[in-house]
Amino acid sequence: VRRSVDILHEHARNVFRTHETVLDYLDDRIAGMSWDEVSRSEELHRYLSSTVTRIREISSIWLIDEHGFHRSSSYKHPTPPMSVSDRDYFRALEQSDAGTVIGKPAIGKTTGTPFFSIARRRSGTSGKFEGVVSAAIDPSFFNEFYDDIIPEPSRAIVLVREDGSVLA
């Protein structure tokens, strides 16, 4: 049991580290770009899409302005300006620089698929809130891995946020 827990812990930590590294890189990549430039850049969209294709644990990437509207994504170009200002990760980052935030499980407003987000503030020179860089994880990524670790139907593995929300 201890060995299984260690494997599961290391797996989750690596997945979250991968997301944080991608978010850091994307934040650097869009530094100095206005939200209009981000929205118009087909090259940026292609880069986001290719990142999702290359990194299996990321299901989609979203660049969100300070008002909570999608401005670019790996999903579609141009990205429909859907508001996510009601999402817990957006509200947490809008209120303070909370570092990396893991959002509650939800259904994508654009994709209609289950996900939870790993997000951080977009860096800016002014120090004020300038939006969010977010990568989504499909819970099935973890579920499939868990099924391989413990395939017995009488047992379960659960990935839980600090507040008790079940992620996978």
Side-chain angles (χ1 to χ4, degrees):
V1 170
R2 183 83 209 138
R3 183 168 157 72
S4 293
V5 169
D6 289 345
I7 291 168
L8 295 167
H9 182 260
E10 187 64 27
H11 177 260
R13 185 172 41 204
N14 287 338
V15 170
F16 293 133
R17 268 196 210 133
T18 297
H19 278 73
E20 287 179 318
T21 300
V22 168
L23 295 179
D24 287 343
Y25 183 78
L26 291 173
D27 189 42
D28 286 345
R29 186 172 176 102
I30 64 171
M33 293 177 75
S34 70
W35 281 116
D36 286 339
E37 291 170 318
V38 167
S39 294
R40 288 191 310 265
S41 177
E42 192 169 336
E43 187 274 328
L44 177 60
H45 162 73
R46 282 193 307 270
Y47 178 77
L48 299 176
S49 294
S50 71
T51 300
V52 168
T53 300
R54 286 189 327 270
I55 303 174
R56 196 172 79 83
E57 52 265 59
I58 298 176
S59 60
S60 59
I61 298 170
W62 301 89
L63 305 178
I64 304 161
D65 72 17
E66 70 275 14
H67 304 293
F69 287 95
H70 293 151
R71 298 303 291 263
S72 186
S73 73
S74 60
Y75 181 67
K76 185 177 183 179
H77 182 77
T79 299
M82 177 89 54
S83 176
V84 293
S85 61
D86 60 331
R87 300 290 193 189
D88 67 319
Y89 64 89
F90 181 85
R91 289 192 316 266
L93 292 167
E94 181 181 37
Q95 292 171 7
S96 69
D97 189 356
T100 301
V101 173
I102 299 172
K104 288 184 178 182
I107 300 297
K109 292 180 178 184
T110 303
T111 64
T113 59
F115 78 100
F116 61 91
S117 285
I118 297 181
R120 60 173 292 229
R121 276 183 166 208
R122 179 182 182 185
S123 297
T125 56
S126 68
K128 68 178 186 141
F129 179 67
E130 294 187 24
V132 171
V133 181
S134 173
I137 299 177
D138 182 332
S140 68
F141 176 80
F142 283 102
N143 296 341
E144 291 166 11
F145 182 75
Y146 295 165
D147 286 346
D148 288 343
I149 297 293
I150 300 179
E152 301 164 31
S154 63
R155 297 183 182 181
I157 300 168
V158 182
L159 181 64
V160 181
R161 274 184 7 154
E162 286 181 344
D163 70 353
S165 298
V166 175
L167 299 175

